[in-house]
Amino acid sequence: MLSLETRWRQLTFQGSEAFHTEQYREAQKKFFQALFVAEEMLLLEDCRGAHLPVVQLFMIACHNLADTYLALGFKIQAFEYYRKAYADLVHLLNSPRADAGLRQQAQECVSKAADEWQQAFNTMDKHILWGWCNQQQSINKPGYSTPYNARH
């Protein structure tokens, strides 16, 4: 059985190969699977044996997905994955259940994630961002139900 880190590496390599040959839907699929594996590693207690910091694997997965969505022309989805990287790291920093090692990794990466989210924000068409902000306000209203397939 493959370790989670080995599985993440395989999926990321496959996604990168697909991305570089402009097979963006295949890249999206592989990068999404790699993100799932990275999130699973963040939840496990035995992930500290990984060769790369687990938080770094998570960040790479989020940014690979964001880049793929940009290549597909889906700016809002790309923006969401930059936001996800930042928001999940902040959550990890504030989680009393996370061990000190994971919190330290998150601390080391959170400013980079914030910078990348800010860069994505600065390059977005303001009309697109306005629509995104309105959507977020609707989601936060009482009575709104999140669609079944929503990840975040």
Side-chain angles (χ1 to χ4, degrees):
M1 181 170 190
L2 296 175
S3 73
L4 287 175
E5 182 180 11
T6 300
R7 182 74 180 133
W8 179 90
R9 286 176 184 271
Q10 287 178 340
L11 290 166
T12 300
F13 178 79
Q14 292 167 354
S16 295
E17 292 233 316
F19 185 90
H20 292 298
T21 58
E22 298 181 5
Q23 297 173 356
Y24 298 124
R25 291 292 182 186
E26 182 65 18
Q28 174 192 18
K29 177 181 152 188
K30 296 298 181 181
F31 289 147
F32 186 79
Q33 290 172 337
L35 176 60
F36 181 78
V37 170
E39 289 175 329
E40 194 173 341
M41 290 175 73
L42 283 173
L43 295 174
L44 295 176
E45 291 299 317
D46 62 353
C47 66
R48 285 171 254 333
H51 292 93
L52 289 173
V54 177
V55 170
Q56 185 178 351
L57 301 180
F58 170 76
M59 290 266 304
I60 291 168
C62 285
H63 290 125
N64 283 344
L65 269 170
D67 291 345
T68 303
Y69 278 116
L70 285 175
L72 287 167
F74 299 127
K75 293 179 180 181
I76 291 290
Q77 289 85 347
F79 182 74
E80 272 295 312
Y81 278 97
Y82 287 119
R83 182 208 57 80
K84 176 178 178 46
Y86 173 74
D88 286 8
L89 291 182
V90 169
H91 177 74
L92 187 59
L93 277 172
N94 295 316
S95 173
R97 296 177 60 194
D99 76 358
L102 284 178
R103 282 199 305 273
Q104 177 64 34
Q105 288 181 36
Q107 181 65 47
E108 292 169 2
C109 293
V110 74
S111 65
K112 181 175 172 47
D115 289 344
E116 290 172 348
W117 186 28
Q118 183 67 45
Q119 284 180 331
F121 180 85
N122 291 341
T123 61
M124 291 281 287
D125 180 318
K126 301 310 174 205
H127 295 295
I128 292 172
L129 282 174
W130 181 255
W132 180 82
C133 289
N134 286 336
Q135 178 188 13
Q136 297 305 305
Q137 288 177 343
S138 296
I139 289 171
N140 293 325
K141 288 183 180 175
Y144 179 84
S145 63
T146 305
Y148 172 74
N149 62 353
R151 292 256 319 137
H152 36 184

